[in-house]
């Protein structure tokens, strides 16, 4: 699974797009999503964005942001 941030026009946010996301593999209930630039998304706070999930044979039961 990969997760990417996109702006309101559907363009990837530099440093946080699907291509920069570190691939998630395995069966875990609690996993931290990271990007090659790191996992700190605090610079994106207050912006209107969308999340794009790219998954194969996977389910998402919940998703949360933590400090």
């Amino acid at each position: 699974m990969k997760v990417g941030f996109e702006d309101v026009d559907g363009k990837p946010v530099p440093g946080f797009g699907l291509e920069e996301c570190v691939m998630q593999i395995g069966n875990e209930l609690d996993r931290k999503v990271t990007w090659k630039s790191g996992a700190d998304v605090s610079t994106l706070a207050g912006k209107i964005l969308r999340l794009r999930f790219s998954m194969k044979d996977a389910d998402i039961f919940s998703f949360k942001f933590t400090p």
Side-chain angles (χ1 to χ4, degrees), residues 4-7 11-18 20 44 47 49-50:
F5 282 93
E6 297 179 348
D7 64 18
K11 295 177 185 170
V13 174
F16 296 99
L18 284 176
E20 290 89 20
L44 306 177
K47 297 181 181 180
L49 300 170
R50 26 177 150 176

Side-chain angles (χ1 to χ4, degrees), residues 1-2 28-29 31-33 60 62-63:
M1 174 184 82
K2 287 186 173 189
E28 294 180 34
L29 294 176
R31 183 172 298 213
K32 183 178 182 179
V33 175
I60 295 178
S62 69
F63 194 86

Side-chain angles (χ1 to χ4, degrees), residues 3-61:
V3 181
F5 282 93
E6 297 179 348
D7 64 18
V8 294
D9 296 320
K11 295 177 185 170
V13 174
F16 296 99
L18 284 176
E19 296 304 316
E20 290 89 20
C21 185
V22 177
M23 176 68 81
Q24 304 288 317
I25 299 173
N27 295 318
E28 294 180 34
L29 294 176
D30 187 12
R31 183 172 298 213
K32 183 178 182 179
V33 175
T34 59
W35 293 265
K36 294 174 186 172
S37 63
D40 183 9
V41 296
S42 63
T43 59
L44 306 177
K47 297 181 181 180
I48 298 174
L49 300 170
R50 26 177 150 176
L51 289 171
R52 178 164 306 271
F53 292 85
S54 175
M55 303 183 300
K56 182 177 179 181
D57 299 323
D59 295 308
I60 295 178
F61 296 103

